[in-house]
Structures are given as C-alpha cells and as structure tokens.
Amino acid sequence: MFGRRSTPELHVLVLRDADTLAAVLRDALAEAPDDQRPGLERAAALVAEAAAVPDASLRARWVHQRLAAAGHEGPADSVRAVKALRQAEPGLSLLTAVQLTKEAAAHPA
C-alpha cells in the first residue's frame, strides 16, 4: 500500500523524570546535614533503581494496570485483553493494543 511502512511503529511514549529527581537529590545530599544524609542516600538509591527499569517493563506495567482496572483476569495477550485495553484506552489503535498486550504477556505483573 502507498504510504505504509513495512514495519509498524509503536506509538506509546514512556515519560521519565528520574534524571531530574536524581539531580535534585544529589544537590540536596551535597548540602545535607549528617542526620538527613541516610534518608537522602536511600532516596537516591531508589530513584536510580527506578531509572534502571526498561521501557518495555514500564509499558507492560501500564497495560497490566489498565487490564486490572477493566476487570480483565485472563491472559494479557488474549483477544479479550486487547478489547478490554482498547475500551479502557479508546485512543489506542488495534495494532498498538495488540503490541502492548503481547509485551505485557512477556512481562508478567
């Protein structure tokens, strides 16, 4: 077909602000008194841990949350899951919903 790519792209964007949070925590840690340092160090470690989670895992978590909110209890990559996801998020195309549910099935909740 004209105007179609041979491999469709997934149009779901994962937004992260972990870099900004890490910078704020580093600044706070540099100026912190000794009694606040352990808590800030723990917070910095948690932010670093969250930043290390792959985008695919974050998308899968999002899909699992949407499916659970929709009451879907079956396999994440079933036809019913695709339908439930598209009903929960009407802006998703069929192709995107299928790709997301397959990704969610590969990353169990």
Side-chain angles (χ1 to χ4, degrees), residues 24 36 38 46-48 54 56 60 62-63 65 78 82-83 86 94 97:
V24 168
Q36 292 179 358
L46 289 172
V47 168
W62 180 82
V63 170
Q65 289 170 346
S78 68
V82 172
K83 182 178 179 182
R86 290 192 73 209
L94 177 59

Side-chain angles (χ1 to χ4, degrees), residues 89-106:
E89 298 294 331
L92 291 178
S93 70
L94 177 59
L95 178 61
T96 300
V98 169
Q99 289 173 331
L100 285 170
T101 56
K102 284 182 181 180
E103 194 168 59

